[in-house]
Amino acid sequence: MNWHPTIAALGGLCLALSTAPLTSVATAAPPDTLRAAHVSAHSAAGGALANPPGTPAGACPTATGYGPPLPASSVTAPRIQGGFSFLEGPVWVADGGYLLMSDMAAGTGPYNVQPSTIRRFTPPATFDTFIANAGSNGLALSADAQQVVAATHDQRSVSAYRLSDRARSTVAANYQGRAFNSPNDVAVRSDGVVYFTDPNFQRGNRADQMGGRTSVFRVSGGQVSLVDDRLRQPNGIALSPDGTALYVGAYSENKIYKYAVQPDGSTGARSVFVNYIGGPDGATIDCAGNVYWASGSDSLVHVYSPAGNQLGTIRAGTSGTTNVAFGGTDRQTLYVTSGPRNDSGLYSVRLNVPGYPY
């Protein structure tokens, strides 16, 4: 199913930020400077939207009652193919009928930065290189489904790659003139507002310009705003179907946090959604609002109801489960990236409820 929004995308996500830096790029801001912008109320261009947008139009059926999402409380996802370096960030592209994912190699060069290639899987069994030297980790689709939005640690940025010709543009280059650590995962709202996490996992030996903080950011109307700088190693990120809740996994805290999202995209109160065991990595959400979170330590995908009750688990491999995404023609196939370095693989399982493509 194609999903094309009725709300305009964020300038096509083909923009470079023009925000005047508040400090020198070489100078790390004091912690209080970063904290002052927490839960800012920056409005999207044109003012607040009448209703909070969530999933892109057509991504979820309307007026549908959903039952249990899993066929059993414990489900196993068979492997499609292994032997990759380290897979992450799967995203389904409905128009082409394929799945994209980042494949990250070991760090290299004087700064020990991990090279990354975007691989393409076309069911049932074809794999090829979609973008070489992409520098990416987490992936999502732009609101108009014409670009893949990528957390790109190679340039410590968030980028967009046009699907038609793979041309690269910048979505978020820095925050107040300071380089991000290593953007890790992204979520895109139906009006084009982008949310992303910024731990330091892929920063390598490059200088810390964030004053020791690892944070969550928002991009709206070309401006980067701070959502939260109090998390220890924020990792996976996802939006609820109605767009009123933002979920973020704090990897080093074993917690999943939930933020109230305002119609203009700004965020309000934060609460603990789940006290998680296993290091929350990548995430996705189905059309009923159930939350799927990949765990690196126990190789499981943990499934939670919108109220935070655990509904069951999905096992993919024996180690290193990193991320999840729904796909297939009816989006009821859950794709899982999992496995040890240099034998990372793609897994899949059919579920009862359709979900978001990332």
Side-chain angles (χ1 to χ4, degrees):
M1 180 183 296
N2 297 335
W3 45 287
H4 298 281
T6 56
I7 305 173
L10 180 63
L13 291 176
C14 287
L15 51 91
L17 296 179
S18 59
T19 309
L22 302 183
T23 60
S24 168
V25 169
T27 303
D32 288 344
T33 303
L34 286 174
R35 187 174 298 281
H38 172 61
V39 191
S40 63
H42 172 73
S43 297
L49 298 165
N51 297 295
T55 174
C60 288
T62 59
T64 299
Y66 297 107
L70 303 179
S73 61
S74 179
V75 177
T76 298
R79 186 163 83 162
I80 299 171
Q81 183 169 311
F84 297 97
S85 293
F86 189 79
L87 295 179
E88 255 285 8
V91 58
W92 179 259
V93 181
D95 283 349
Y98 56 82
L99 185 82
L100 298 177
M101 51 200 160
S102 297
D103 188 9
M104 297 188 293
T108 187
Y111 294 110
N112 195 36
V113 177
Q114 293 180 248
S116 178
T117 297
I118 296 180
R119 309 284 184 193
R120 175 171 56 183
F121 165 64
T122 305
T126 300
F127 290 84
D128 63 356
T129 296
F130 191 74
I131 300 174
N133 302 314
S136 61
N137 191 327
L139 306 175
L141 284 184
S142 62
D144 62 2
Q146 301 305 302
Q147 301 178 83
V148 60
V149 182
T152 40
H153 54 265
D154 64 337
Q155 297 179 4
R156 302 169 75 170
S157 67
V158 177
S159 303
Y161 284 100
R162 198 160 55 211
L163 294 173
S164 60
D165 60 5
R166 282 66 152 177
R168 182 174 182 171
S169 57
T170 301
V171 176
N174 59 71
Y175 177 63
Q176 297 183 347
R178 297 183 296 278
F180 301 116
N181 293 303
S182 56
N184 183 277
D185 210 352
V186 289
V188 181
R189 210 168 66 154
S190 65
D191 60 347
V193 176
V194 175
Y195 302 87
F196 68 95
T197 56
D198 186 40
N200 60 27
F201 298 138
Q202 279 80 43
R203 194 177 66 209
N205 301 326
R206 295 172 290 188
D208 173 16
Q209 295 188 16
M210 284 290 159
R213 296 189 180 277
T214 54
S215 307
V216 183
F217 293 95
R218 180 180 78 255
V219 188
S220 179
Q223 304 297 311
V224 179
S225 300
L226 179 67
V227 171
D228 196 344
D229 63 0
R230 299 170 293 167
L231 278 65
R232 289 189 292 124
Q233 303 294 16
N235 199 324
I237 189 167
L239 280 162
S240 64
D242 63 3
T244 62
L246 180 71
Y247 299 90
V248 179
Y251 187 86
S252 293
E253 299 177 41
N254 278 328
K255 294 182 185 295
I256 299 172
Y257 290 106
K258 181 179 180 179
Y259 300 82
V261 179
Q262 308 305 317
D264 67 354
S266 61
T267 50
R270 183 186 85 178
S271 60
V272 175
F273 176 65
V274 169
N275 285 306
Y276 191 94
I277 298 174
D281 203 322
T284 192
I285 293 183
D286 69 23
C287 291
N290 300 309
V291 180
Y292 299 69
W293 223 286
S295 169
S297 64
D298 63 13
S299 302
L300 297 174
V301 178
H302 296 262
V303 184
Y304 301 96
S305 73
N309 300 315
Q310 184 149 354
L311 302 177
T313 59
I314 301 166
R315 176 169 293 281
T318 58
S319 66
T321 298
T322 59
N323 218 320
V324 285
F326 281 95
T329 55
D330 59 3
R331 283 171 301 100
Q332 284 185 226
T333 297
L334 186 74
Y335 290 101
V336 185
T337 51
S338 182
R341 182 167 293 282
N342 297 322
D343 191 22
S344 184
L346 179 65
Y347 297 72
S348 71
V349 63
R350 290 281 300 171
L351 299 181
N352 296 335
V353 178
Y356 289 12
Y358 60 86

